[in-house]
Amino acid sequence: MDSKEGPEKKPTYDAKLGVYPAMVHYVAKTLKIDPNEIFDKWSVPQLVITYGVYMNQESYRIHQEIKSLNQGAKKKQKVPEMYAVKFISKEQINDQ
């Protein structure tokens, strides 16, 4: 190996998870449980609602944090959406 090239970089693997496995991984990490427990014992609606609640808590926290940082800053950051997952009631669906 030539000393000018530096150390050889090894390729990394980034798992390209589907929608449900990604939600399972996020919820399992948040709850500190084994993802297989969610795959084996949870229903899809239970997973989607739990994922939505935790993502909304995180996005609300980030939204408020950036909003407060922008109050005294000269250079404003773009404030993200308040909620990442929108929950829609049956009445709202029927109105559309």
Side-chain angles (χ1 to χ4, degrees), residues 40-95:
D40 295 340
K41 298 179 182 175
W42 289 34
S43 66
V44 172
Q46 185 180 10
L47 170 63
V48 171
I49 290 170
T50 305
Y51 175 81
V53 168
Y54 286 130
M55 281 301 295
N56 283 347
Q57 288 174 351
E58 185 177 335
S59 65
Y60 179 77
R61 182 187 57 78
I62 292 168
H63 172 85
Q64 295 295 9
E65 186 177 310
I66 291 176
K67 194 173 170 184
S68 69
L69 289 173
N70 280 347
Q71 287 178 350
K74 292 179 182 177
K75 186 176 180 183
K76 307 281 185 197
Q77 291 183 4
K78 182 181 176 192
V79 180
E81 291 277 335
M82 190 176 293
Y83 297 108
V85 179
K86 308 254 191 284
F87 289 104
I88 301 172
S89 67
K90 288 182 181 181
E91 292 81 22
Q92 290 172 319
I93 292 172
N94 292 334
D95 290 344

Side-chain angles (χ1 to χ4, degrees), residues 20-42 47:
Y20 292 116
M23 287 194 288
V24 167
H25 180 267
Y26 180 80
V27 171
K29 184 177 172 186
T30 302
L31 295 176
K32 296 180 176 129
I33 61 174
D34 183 16
N36 287 325
E37 185 176 328
I38 296 173
F39 277 121
D40 295 340
K41 298 179 182 175
W42 289 34
L47 170 63

